[in-house]
Amino acid sequence: MAEVRVQNLNKSFGELKAVNNVSFHAKSGEFLFLLGPSGCGKTTSLRTIAGLEEQDSGKVLVGGKDVSDTPVHKRNLGFVFQNYALFPHMTVRQNIEFGLRMKKINKRYYREKVSEILSLVGLEGYEDRKPDQLSGGEKQRIALCRTLVLDPQVLLLDEPLSNLDAKLRKRMRVELENIQNKLGLTTIHVTHDQEEALAMADRIILMNNGSIVQEGTPPEIYEKPLNGFVADFMGQVNCYRGKVVKVTDNKVALESEKLPRINVLQSDGKKLKEGKDVFFMVKKEGIKINSSLNSSKEINSVEGEVLVASYYGSHIEFICGFPGKSGQIILKAPVDISPVPTRGEKVNLQWDYDNAFIIECFA
Amino acid sequence: MRSLQKIDWSWLYVYIVIFFLLAPLISILLLSLSRTVYLQFPPALFSLQWYRELANNQALLNSFYLSLRVAIPATIISTVCGTLVAIGTRVLGGPILKLNHLLFLGPLIVPYVILATGLSRFFLMIGVRGLPAITLSHATIAMPYVFLLVYAGLNLLPESIEEGAQVLGANRFKVLRKITLPLLKPHIFAGMMFAFIASFGEFIIAYMLSGPRTTLLTVYIYSSVREKTEPSLSALLSLITIVIIFLAFFYSKIYLGKQKL
Amino acid sequence: MKLNWRLKERLLEGLLNIPGLVLIITIWAFPLIVLVINSFYTNIPFGGHVQEFTLENYKKIFTDPFYVIILYRTAIIAITVTVLSVIISYPVAYKLARIDEKKAMFLLILIVVPFLTAVIFRAFGLIYLMGNRGVINSFLHWLGFEGISLIWNQTAIIIGFLNVLLPYMLLSLYSSIKQVNKSVEEAAWVLGANRVKTTWYIVLPQIKSGMVTGSIFVFAIAMGTFEIPAILGGMGQMVIPMLIQQYVSYMNFPGASALAIVLLGFVLLFVGIGTRLVGGKMEL
């Protein structure tokens, strides 16, 4: 399986710099994710690898070879589009055979290859259907078949699961992972869904505004975000900017515009100096909520007032505000919490020390 | 009750307008079946004599035949050229694109009488006359219709489908041949229909470029109105109208039934 | 200098324009240029012309009462037809746009069928309806009245043009109205606007571009069509297209060309005003 390397890629659309000096590589057999909000440059980067966009500068190497001068149809990279792009005037069989025809593979192999690839995705017998007779999930799998039947060295996926409903998406995630695993394909998957990336990726490249913000394995990115954007995007934390007021052993006192003064116990809290600008992050799932009547602790705790309580089926989400401060904190509580705090109630919020952390701001 | 009255009036108005639009064709139809030369009131129906006379009216049949001899090649030329231009326009941008639109959509705005004048002078200059001149002229005025319809069809085609073919190994030419053109079939067909109608029904260019032996049907109709009365003409026109009606309903059943691309 | 594959692909695809380009330049653009050039020459009766640049032709057209009257008549007819076509077809277009599509389809086909037949077919039919020995006069005779002369006047021309041009305006308005969200109208009703007010304040502003597109086609055709005025109006109702044809038959190319360019000027002026009203480029 081939390795894909992107070096110093730059691409602008008119005034907009979509991809800004981006470099990364996907190791052979790796399941790499390009993750980020809309407009961050992930899709443009992917399309540039496929040749569907032309970079202003920079190189794309596949298996060590510079492919910039290779036309799209000769790059031999698998590509699945967000809207699947099945040929509406052809049957499933003809769609799958298309690539084989282009490669001028002998026709007598077609039948076998088509049925083989269809069984791989569990759609045996679908050969003679037309795309408008297929459901979303089926179309997606046929789009995959079309590409996999050609034994590509690399698989490029442009938000392939985004157009599916939530349940189908989870199922397809598993299927996709299985296929990738089984075939050992070097895969680059573009998505804006951080849950998807965390669940499936070997490595994640997080992008924003055309640049790479952080690179790493899912645990690395989730637990050690380099800055507030990363932490916020990964979605699981509340993030606040603040200043270190006082450090006593591992206890750090923080002042912040958005939060009342808090004391945070951190394992390497000693390292922080007074006066430093920091980010304080606490996981939404790691906060416990109690009525203020219980004793409030001095450390890893803050008092607030319930603004909103929303029932989400699997959990209850509370948004609390702080009198005199502009910030809010979001937390996820289990459904069986009792008594359930109500709007306007004064509450005490506590967290375990490994559910929160402070990192320095990089100016 | 008031609202019921309102609905009736507005539908009546609609029917009156539609009847007004159909009136000339209806009168031609009735005339073709009339026993008298002029359409009288009360109409003296039914007689197929004019249809029989049509079969013997050499001059009229000849003009019909000539109209086809012009319209069919003109349709083919304009459909081919128009489709190619619609596809080729996609790579253009900026001022060249504007020039392209000006040239290829211009014939829709500039009245034919103006073009006809220029054409008479032009063909006089280069010494071409008669059917070839008319055919080429019709092909040119029909092309914008094909261009518009195919261009609209191209805009409906998601880019990703052609990109999908490219990524699977098809070069641009193969993509056009195997993916784009097949998907444009309904639009090309519609363009063809419009092109044919544009040519077949065109008058002033055919009139100015015609000669004594190249009288097309539209020119024949004009002389008939000015000079002599010819009921067999109404028979021919009725037949043509009936064919058009059938084609219109047929087309709507097939192509508008499938709204998807 | 990147002569890469992408550029090559684009160039080859750009070549597809060539056949059409050759056709349009030789048969459309070039003859029009010839026309413009000829308009500056002086005519020698019965063939030939003086190849000297002169503005005489244009001066005559705008000063000689003979021409001015014809110009005026042509323009008035065209404007009248345009305005009437909007007024007459709006209610029909609205109705069709607001009813179930299947029912609308049938009526639309009925409207489109005459549209697909040649203008001259319909002129032929109209003469039989309106002529001195036509259906309407026969009907009047049958009722015991004197025949009336319905044709060979301006009204006949306007009726003839409306017959031919209402479908253009209708279809244009129909597709525009279809794009206006019905719920916006319903919101207006709920807020207390009656039908007239809703039409004026809510619907019309949103269909401006459809109205302009339709008007441009109607005006251009009404100004530049020969068949209808020639057949229904006759020599007594001379309009510019008829005059042009006459001059061409006398081989007076300079005269015909100048008239043609003036006609084109009017049409382009109208198009220009129209696109300005809609604010820039229109879509078809």
Side-chain angles (χ1 to χ4, degrees):
Chain A
M1 287 300 143
E3 180 191 72
V4 177
R5 193 176 284 272
V6 163
Q7 283 176 349
N8 303 106
L9 215 56
N10 279 288
K11 173 78 185 169
S12 298
F13 291 106
E15 297 271 315
L16 178 69
K17 186 114 200 205
V19 178
N20 194 349
N21 205 16
V22 165
S23 302
F24 61 85
H25 74 278
K27 305 189 195 112
S28 168
E30 184 178 39
F31 202 158
L32 181 74
F33 265 67
L34 295 182
L35 175 67
S38 313
C40 70
K42 56 194 195 294
T43 298
T44 309
S45 303
L46 192 77
R47 285 168 61 89
T48 307
I49 298 175
L52 295 170
E53 303 283 354
E54 184 178 12
Q55 67 269 32
D56 297 331
S57 65
K59 284 203 226 170
V60 176
L61 301 145
V62 176
K65 221 178 57 158
D66 187 343
V67 294
S68 310
D69 282 327
T70 318
V72 176
H73 61 278
K74 293 216 176 102
R75 289 201 191 185
N76 211 12
L77 304 168
F79 196 104
V80 175
F81 292 84
Q82 187 175 358
N83 63 5
Y84 323 122
L86 297 181
F87 306 132
H89 60 301
M90 295 185 181
T91 60
V92 163
R93 179 200 302 280
Q94 289 167 330
N95 264 279
I96 299 178
E97 284 177 354
F98 188 80
L100 298 171
R101 278 174 191 268
M102 293 301 119
K103 269 186 163 177
K104 302 227 168 87
I105 293 186
N106 197 315
K107 294 207 177 159
R108 65 176 121 117
Y109 298 120
Y110 288 6
R111 186 165 214 106
E112 195 188 308
K113 281 186 173 279
V114 170
S115 43
E116 207 182 292
I117 205 78
L118 283 175
S119 10
L120 182 70
V121 298
L123 290 178
E124 298 92 337
Y126 272 63
E127 285 91 339
D128 294 311
R129 298 213 195 170
K130 283 269 201 94
D132 57 11
Q133 298 169 299
L134 302 174
S135 72
E138 289 166 350
K139 282 193 217 176
Q140 205 255 24
R141 278 178 280 174
I142 301 296
L144 259 178
C145 287
R146 222 175 38 165
T147 255
L148 293 176
V149 79
L150 299 175
D151 291 319
Q153 296 274 304
V154 174
L155 185 59
L156 305 171
L157 305 163
D158 186 4
E159 308 215 37
L161 307 177
S162 297
N163 287 356
L164 304 174
D165 61 68
K167 248 195 185 164
L168 197 53
R169 209 181 300 175
K170 291 232 159 90
R171 248 183 35 207
M172 289 308 304
R173 242 190 241 178
V174 176
E175 277 216 37
L176 205 51
E177 264 188 288
N178 286 340
I179 292 174
Q180 194 269 347
N181 215 351
K182 192 163 171 185
L183 299 174
L185 287 169
T186 310
T187 308
I188 304 182
H189 181 135
V190 161
T191 183
H192 61 270
D193 185 347
Q194 80 281 4
E195 236 185 78
E196 208 168 274
L198 289 172
M200 299 163 83
D202 290 335
R203 236 176 5 117
I204 297 177
I205 299 193
L206 185 58
M207 293 177 70
N208 189 28
N209 283 334
S211 306
I212 295 181
V213 174
Q214 186 169 352
E215 235 182 275
T217 63
E220 278 168 19
I221 296 221
Y222 190 74
E223 286 163 26
K224 302 205 187 91
L226 287 178
N227 62 33
F229 167 77
V230 179
D232 190 43
F233 187 83
M234 297 317 283
Q236 312 295 70
V237 300
N238 294 282
C239 180
Y240 310 94
R241 212 179 159 122
K243 239 191 182 55
V244 175
V245 172
K246 189 165 160 194
V247 180
T248 323
D249 288 330
N250 281 332
K251 209 167 70 176
V252 182
L254 283 183
E255 276 286 359
S256 160
E257 213 180 272
K258 302 216 163 161
L259 292 178
R261 180 164 168 151
I262 49 174
N263 295 312
V264 181
L265 187 65
Q266 177 144 318
S267 57
D268 54 352
K270 291 196 272 252
K271 296 197 189 140
L272 295 165
K273 302 238 164 55
E274 278 178 35
K276 259 254 184 287
D277 271 329
V278 291
F279 281 115
F280 168 64
M281 284 170 274
V282 54
K283 290 195 185 150
K284 293 176 185 169
E285 292 148 333
I287 303 175
K288 292 199 200 45
I289 183 168
N290 288 306
S291 317
S292 225
L293 298 171
N294 296 346
S295 57
S296 45
K297 297 212 193 119
E298 209 199 282
I299 302 193
N300 289 348
S301 149
V302 71
E303 304 238 327
E305 184 183 308
V306 177
L307 296 175
V308 178
S310 313
Y311 180 69
Y312 276 85
S314 55
H315 64 269
I316 303 179
E317 187 180 273
F318 289 97
I319 302 180
C320 301
F322 308 103
K325 289 286 180 180
S326 58
Q328 293 176 349
I329 193 164
I330 302 177
L331 65 120
K332 293 184 184 175
V335 275
D336 55 2
I337 182 179
S338 173
V340 180
T342 55
R343 228 177 49 186
E345 196 175 318
K346 298 257 186 302
V347 286
N348 176 258
L349 307 170
Q350 297 176 358
W351 58 89
D352 282 339
Y353 96 105
D354 55 1
N355 278 325
F357 39 88
I358 303 175
I359 58 173
E360 287 179 40
C361 288
F362 300 104
Chain B
M1 283 309 123
R2 260 193 93 209
S3 58
L4 269 178
Q5 277 185 324
K6 258 199 187 152
I7 292 175
D8 273 350
W9 283 121
S10 63
W11 270 118
L12 185 65
Y13 177 75
V14 170
Y15 290 140
I16 290 179
V17 169
I18 295 186
F19 180 72
F20 170 66
L21 292 177
L22 293 174
L25 295 180
I26 296 176
S27 77
I28 293 180
L29 192 64
L30 290 178
L31 178 61
S32 73
L33 297 171
S34 132
R35 268 183 269 135
T36 53
V37 171
Y38 289 100
L39 195 56
Q40 289 169 350
F41 206 92
L45 311 170
F46 269 102
S47 163
L48 292 176
Q49 62 178 310
W50 308 122
Y51 288 92
R52 281 189 292 254
E53 215 191 276
L54 174 63
N56 296 323
N57 191 337
Q58 277 309 326
L60 175 57
L61 288 177
N62 195 47
S63 75
F64 177 67
Y65 168 67
L66 286 179
S67 278
L68 288 179
R69 259 189 76 179
V70 164
I72 293 177
T75 303
I76 296 174
I77 297 174
S78 61
T79 305
V80 170
C81 289
T83 305
L84 291 177
V85 170
I87 296 177
T89 299
R90 290 193 302 174
V91 303
L92 301 176
I96 301 190
L97 183 66
K98 290 209 177 119
L99 181 65
N100 168 290
H101 282 171
L102 182 72
L103 279 177
F104 288 109
L105 297 177
L108 293 175
I109 300 289
V110 176
Y112 290 163
V113 66
I114 299 174
L115 180 63
T117 311
L119 285 174
S120 345
R121 187 79 186 85
F122 172 69
F123 282 121
L124 203 66
M125 271 167 44
I126 66 174
V128 178
R129 212 138 167 113
L131 289 189
I134 303 179
T135 308
L136 284 176
S137 308
H138 281 184
T140 310
I141 61 165
M143 199 169 45
Y145 293 104
V146 180
F147 173 65
L148 267 183
L149 285 166
V150 176
Y151 196 62
L154 277 174
N155 281 336
L156 290 174
L157 189 64
E159 249 189 331
S160 50
I161 293 189
E162 289 182 302
E163 288 179 339
Q166 277 189 296
V167 156
L168 288 170
N171 61 28
R172 276 314 280 171
F173 182 60
K174 289 218 179 87
V175 170
L176 288 177
R177 202 156 56 95
K178 289 195 178 288
I179 308 291
T180 319
L181 283 178
L183 287 173
L184 287 175
K185 264 201 276 206
H187 304 272
I188 297 177
F189 185 72
M192 223 165 64
M193 294 288 109
F194 270 82
F196 184 85
I197 289 169
S199 164
F200 191 77
E202 200 281 325
F203 172 75
I204 191 72
I205 295 177
Y207 187 56
M208 283 203 198
L209 296 180
S210 70
R213 265 167 304 187
T214 55
T215 307
L216 299 195
L217 181 60
T218 43
V219 179
Y220 190 95
I221 297 174
Y222 182 64
S223 0
S224 148
V225 167
R226 300 220 69 235
E227 289 152 35
K228 50 192 170 129
T229 319
E230 252 184 82
S232 54
L233 177 58
S234 63
L236 179 62
L237 295 185
S238 303
L239 287 174
I240 295 176
T241 308
I242 292 174
V243 169
I244 292 181
I245 294 178
F246 267 118
L247 286 178
F249 276 101
F250 190 61
Y251 184 81
S252 76
K253 276 273 164 351
I254 295 193
Y255 282 103
L256 303 178
K258 304 188 201 163
Q259 270 297 355
K260 284 202 188 137
L261 182 69
Chain C
M1 231 319 258
K2 263 192 173 184
L3 191 66
N4 62 6
W5 58 272
R6 245 177 254 267
L7 227 71
K8 268 196 259 174
E9 266 185 4
R10 292 187 101 208
L11 241 122
L12 284 177
E13 226 173 297
L15 287 183
L16 290 177
N17 281 305
I18 304 256
L21 200 66
V22 166
L23 198 63
I24 205 90
I25 290 187
T26 37
I27 312 278
W28 189 77
F30 187 67
L32 285 181
I33 296 175
V34 166
L35 198 69
V36 174
I37 296 176
N38 260 271
S39 69
F40 295 118
Y41 294 162
T42 317
N43 183 45
I44 299 173
F46 305 113
H49 51 260
V50 179
Q51 289 202 211
E52 236 179 60
F53 183 85
T54 169
L55 286 174
E56 227 10 76
N57 296 327
Y58 289 102
K59 264 212 305 206
K60 261 200 272 178
I61 292 176
F62 287 110
T63 52
D64 189 332
F66 174 69
Y67 294 109
V68 173
I69 291 178
I70 293 178
L71 202 58
Y72 180 74
R73 181 184 294 126
T74 316
I76 285 290
I77 290 177
I79 293 175
T80 312
V81 168
T82 306
V83 170
L84 283 180
S85 71
V86 176
I87 298 175
I88 295 178
S89 53
Y90 176 81
V92 181
Y94 183 81
K95 196 93 196 152
L96 291 179
R98 289 293 180 241
I99 63 174
D100 170 37
E101 273 207 38
K102 290 222 170 79
K103 287 189 216 149
M105 195 52 68
F106 176 71
L107 290 172
L108 282 171
I109 294 181
L110 282 187
I111 293 172
V112 163
V113 163
F115 188 50
L116 297 176
T117 55
V119 172
I120 200 152
F121 281 32
R122 285 170 280 170
F124 183 76
L126 280 170
I127 265 269
Y128 268 94
L129 273 179
M130 292 166 43
N132 285 332
R133 286 197 254 184
V135 179
I136 295 181
N137 270 312
S138 295
F139 181 62
L140 291 175
H141 278 139
W142 181 66
L143 286 180
F145 294 118
E146 279 269 313
I148 51 174
S149 186
L150 285 169
I151 56 173
W152 296 319
N153 56 38
Q154 227 177 76
T155 314
I157 300 180
I158 292 178
I159 293 179
F161 270 131
L162 284 175
N163 194 284
V164 169
L165 294 173
L166 279 178
Y168 278 93
M169 187 58 86
L170 243 168
L171 292 176
S172 191
L173 291 180
Y174 170 77
S175 72
S176 277
I177 297 175
K178 265 217 112 77
Q179 288 175 12
V180 174
N181 200 331
K182 176 144 200 203
S183 10
V184 175
E185 284 177 83
E186 291 171 338
W189 296 342
V190 165
L191 288 169
N194 62 21
R195 287 263 177 174
V196 175
K197 290 216 182 102
T198 316
T199 305
W200 183 258
Y201 287 111
I202 310 291
V203 183
L204 285 185
Q206 289 186 63
I207 59 172
K208 263 198 284 198
S209 77
M211 275 203 287
V212 170
T213 309
S215 302
I216 288 181
F217 277 108
V218 170
F219 183 81
I221 297 178
M223 275 217 76
T225 300
F226 173 88
E227 299 96 290
I228 297 283
I231 294 179
L232 292 172
M235 292 305 274
Q237 295 290 328
M238 182 72 81
V239 292
I240 301 229
M242 288 165 66
L243 195 59
I244 295 179
Q245 186 274 324
Q246 207 177 69
Y247 280 23
V248 170
S249 67
Y250 298 156
M251 303 279 272
N252 177 357
F253 284 109
S257 309
L259 285 169
I261 297 296
V262 170
L263 178 62
L264 183 61
F266 269 74
V267 172
L268 290 180
L269 185 67
F270 194 84
V271 174
I273 297 177
T275 39
R276 268 292 199 74
L277 284 177
V278 177
K281 257 303 174 176
M282 303 171 300
E283 287 175 26
L284 281 143

